[in-house]
């Protein structure tokens, strides 16, 4: 089982995964795909803000540290320009989900956030907007800012916590006492933002199973609607700042597995329902409801109830998903800004989905969301004997069960879910070493 836990596999927030995007899909293709969206198509927006005041050592996001406000000001202007570009080809579409991610989106400040929302409102139809979510750093919150967020219509906020132990927080370069997180949650609630998510992590430097359990219990005591429990992905060859984390301070695969299990058990004892690979929700939450009814989806932000026809990603590195395929903006802020300033989309790579990609993508998404898939239902005429054979090591360990062509990941197998999905990934063998470990 430990050998399985150490295998390198993608997180499957998309299929095909981003290493398989190519420059063949760029701005012209993106514009064509957008303009082909039917008038009645629903749309989601993801807005990426790639700036933070400091870099946390564990961070795996596309972001950079910035001290001055001028780059942030310029970036906010480019976002507004990009909204106008989007509006020129897909205006008045109904927006159903809006998500601010980063980085630290709140670094934009109240006025710039409001200006961007005003422009979105001028370009799109917001009458059906169900969810307006933002990722927040509890260290950068205030009562007034919580009210400002409510004022622009935010109705869900994710607080990044990771772990409450001071030892661990020092080791990851991000010290934020429990009181700071509790204050952020209460200010958000007082402002009317009731839907609060908390992000936790296991596998962090100096973290123990006791830390993971205590952090889960403290997080649950704040009564968020949802929690996420991510495994720290140590990929210093991709994220240079992670080189500052000593390998010797990292828990091994057995410890990671224990931490994941104990934190998950703590959250479930506190009344949360386990969802997919790494999410937890109150039983009455819409994510839990979607999981119960087979309507859970997985996208670049993780598990979601978002069922829009298309997702447009705004900002550097943001990925869009259209019926035809995926397309990603330039990751570097300068390249992104140059393209937008020149009046072009900043799309630099992507992939056109083939029928085979769609089929495998569907199987992988259902496994990641439902922990089960019936191959007879999704593709009765296809022979998946090689893939079923690839699941045998998981079956031998009791992590996967199959009955005919119905495949189910067991409760014990939940932490290994990415491995079950990987059996259906036709692109994986060539790129296996580039991903983080499975558990
Ligand atoms: S973890 Fe969040 S706050 Fe820290 S560097 Fe990454 S994006 Fe910024």
């Amino acid at each position: 089982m430990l050998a399985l836990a150490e295998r390198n596999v993608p997180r499957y927030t998309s299929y095909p995964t981003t290493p398989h995007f190519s420059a063949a899909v760029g701005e012209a293709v993106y514009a064509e795909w957008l303009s082909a969206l039917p008038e009645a198509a629903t749309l989601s927006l993801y807005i990426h803000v790639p700036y933070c005041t400091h870099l946390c050592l564990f961070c795996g996001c596309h972001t950079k540290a910035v001290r001055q406000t001028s780059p942030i000001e310029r970036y906010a202007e480019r976002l507004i320009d990009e909204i106008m570009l989007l509006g020129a080809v897909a205006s008045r579409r109904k927006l159903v989900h809006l998500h601010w991610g980063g980085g630290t989106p709140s670094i934009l400040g109240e006025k710039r956030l409001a200006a961007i929302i005003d422009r979105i409102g001028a370009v799109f139809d917001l009458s059906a907007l169900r969810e307006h979510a933002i990722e927040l750093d509890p260290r950068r919150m205030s009562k007034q800012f919580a009210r400002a967020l409510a004022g622009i219509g935010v109705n869900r906020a994710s607080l990044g916590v990771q772990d409450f132990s001071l030892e661990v927080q020092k080791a990851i370069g991000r010290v934020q006492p429990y009181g700071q997180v509790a204050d952020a949650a209460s200010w958000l609630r007082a402002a009317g933002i009731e839907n609060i998510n908390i992000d936790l992590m296991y596998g962090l430097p100096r973290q123990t199973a006791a830390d993971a359990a205590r952090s889960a219990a403290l997080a649950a005591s704040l009564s968020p609607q949802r929690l996420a429990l991510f495994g720290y992905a140590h990929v210093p060859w991709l994220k240079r700042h992670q080189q500052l984390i000593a390998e010797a301070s990292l828990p091994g695969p057995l410890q990671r597995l224990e931490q994941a299990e104990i934190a998950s058990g703590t959250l479930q004892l506190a009344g949360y329902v386990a969802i997919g690979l790494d999410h937890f929700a109150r039983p009455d939450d819409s994510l839990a409801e979607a999981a119960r009814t087979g309507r859970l989806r997985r996208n670049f932000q993780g598990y979601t109830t978002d069922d829009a026809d298309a997702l447009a990603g705004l900002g550097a590195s943001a990925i869009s998903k259209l019926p035809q395929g995926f397309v990603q903006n330039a990751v570097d802020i300068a390249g992104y800004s140059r393209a937008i300033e020149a009046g072009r989309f900043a799309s630099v790579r992507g992939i056109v989905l083939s029928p085979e990609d769609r089929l495998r993508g569907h199987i992988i998404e259902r496994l990641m969301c439902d922990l089960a898939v019936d191959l007879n239902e999704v593709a009765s005429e296809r022979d998946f004997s090689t893939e079923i054979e690839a699941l045998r090591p998981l079956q031998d360990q009791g992590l996967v069960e199959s009955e005919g062509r119905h495949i189910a990941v067991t409760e014990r197998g939940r932490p290994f879910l990415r491995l079950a999905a990987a059996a259906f990934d036709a692109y994986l063998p060539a790129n296996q070493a580039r991903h983080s470990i499975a558990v």
Side-chain angles (χ1 to χ4, degrees):
M1 257 170 78
L2 288 184
L4 289 170
E6 283 189 291
R7 273 188 55 197
N8 298 94
V9 274
R11 299 188 57 78
Y12 294 114
T13 52
S14 72
Y15 181 83
T17 54
T18 52
H20 306 287
F21 292 6
S22 85
V25 175
E27 38 134 349
V29 176
Y30 182 46
E32 191 189 307
W33 288 355
L34 281 170
S35 44
L37 274 179
E39 287 283 317
T42 52
L43 192 64
S44 287
L45 289 189
Y46 169 76
I47 306 177
H48 190 76
V49 182
Y51 290 114
C52 296
T53 47
H54 296 88
L55 277 197
C56 310
L57 300 184
F58 69 93
C59 182
C61 303
H62 288 299
T63 190
K64 65 189 280 187
V66 67
R67 291 297 167 110
Q68 292 150 343
T69 52
S70 51
I72 298 167
E73 181 73 56
R74 284 197 297 275
Y75 189 77
E77 287 165 8
R78 297 297 80 77
L79 286 176
I80 287 178
D81 294 343
E82 194 180 10
I83 292 162
M84 298 306 285
L85 283 174
L86 199 55
V89 280
S91 69
R92 304 321 305 162
R93 298 301 192 288
K94 270 200 166 73
L95 218 61
V96 288
H97 272 234
L98 174 54
H99 187 111
W100 301 84
T104 307
S106 60
I107 207 169
L108 288 172
E110 298 177 31
K111 287 197 181 128
R112 294 186 198 99
L113 284 168
I116 294 169
I117 289 297
D118 278 353
R119 197 55 62 101
I120 290 173
V123 168
F124 298 104
D125 175 355
L126 300 188
S127 63
L129 187 62
R130 286 196 299 272
E131 185 162 299
H132 183 171
I134 189 164
E135 296 168 9
L136 294 173
D137 182 338
R139 297 169 302 170
R140 320 258 166 253
M141 279 301 295
S142 68
K143 253 185 215 167
Q144 190 198 334
F145 190 65
R147 283 198 288 261
L149 291 176
I152 61 167
V154 168
N155 59 14
R156 178 175 296 282
S158 293
L159 296 171
V161 168
Q162 332 315 335
D163 190 285
F164 282 110
S165 144
L166 181 59
E167 273 288 292
V168 177
Q169 292 188 355
K170 282 184 182 162
I172 59 173
R174 177 169 176 153
V175 173
Q176 49 174 44
Y178 171 81
Q180 208 165 29
V181 181
D183 281 348
S186 76
W187 293 331
L188 288 163
R189 288 195 175 111
I193 302 172
E194 293 287 339
N195 294 312
I196 294 183
N197 298 11
I198 289 184
D199 292 345
L200 296 171
M201 272 194 164
Y202 66 87
L204 291 168
R206 311 190 76 84
Q207 195 179 23
T208 64
D211 292 328
R214 180 175 162 271
S215 296
L218 283 172
S221 75
L222 295 171
S223 305
Q225 290 288 120
R226 301 176 187 170
L227 298 110
L229 175 65
F230 299 119
Y232 165 58
H234 191 60
V235 286
W237 59 94
L238 288 177
K239 299 285 169 187
R240 289 267 180 102
H241 53 271
Q242 291 186 350
Q243 289 170 5
L244 294 170
I245 293 180
E247 304 250 343
S249 67
L250 290 171
L254 181 60
Q255 286 79 28
R256 283 176 68 97
L257 199 51
E258 277 171 2
Q259 291 172 11
E261 279 178 357
I262 198 162
S264 165
T266 304
L267 295 176
Q268 291 181 72
L269 266 179
Y272 290 91
V273 180
I275 291 174
L277 176 67
D278 47 19
H279 278 48
F280 298 83
R282 290 197 202 171
D284 60 350
D285 184 79
S286 55
L287 202 69
E289 166 74 15
R292 270 195 301 274
T293 52
R295 289 179 298 106
L296 188 66
R297 304 300 306 267
R298 185 155 172 85
N299 69 13
F300 299 101
Q301 284 77 58
Y303 290 102
T304 178
T305 55
D306 184 359
D307 58 357
D309 298 312
L311 166 73
L314 302 174
S317 79
I319 302 175
S320 302
K321 182 183 185 196
L322 284 107
Q324 300 89 334
F326 298 107
V327 56
Q328 183 173 26
N329 276 351
V331 171
D332 67 301
I333 300 168
Y336 161 78
S337 301
R338 269 195 308 276
I340 301 293
E341 269 167 26
R344 295 183 275 110
F345 283 115
S347 332
V348 290
R349 56 196 204 117
I351 191 164
V352 179
L353 293 175
S354 67
E356 181 71 10
D357 292 336
R358 285 177 208 281
L359 173 62
R360 288 179 180 271
H362 178 68
I363 293 170
I364 287 174
E365 188 177 20
R366 287 343 303 158
L367 271 172
M368 293 298 293
C369 291
D370 303 339
L371 278 77
V373 68
D374 189 338
L375 296 174
N376 282 339
E377 256 175 38
V378 296
S380 56
E381 71 291 357
R382 277 290 299 268
D383 171 25
F384 279 114
S385 49
T386 310
E387 288 77 1
I388 292 169
E389 189 55 34
L391 290 169
R392 191 172 295 278
L394 297 172
Q395 269 179 291
D396 292 345
Q397 297 292 336
L399 308 173
V400 164
E401 284 170 351
S402 66
E403 209 182 306
R405 283 167 37 106
H406 182 273
I407 292 158
V409 175
T410 61
E411 202 43 51
R412 194 161 160 250
R414 191 185 286 272
F416 297 83
L417 190 48
R418 292 158 65 190
L419 285 173
F424 293 89
D425 183 345
Y427 295 80
L428 187 61
N431 267 286
Q432 205 148 348
R434 299 174 66 177
H435 303 285
S436 59
I437 55 175
V439 175

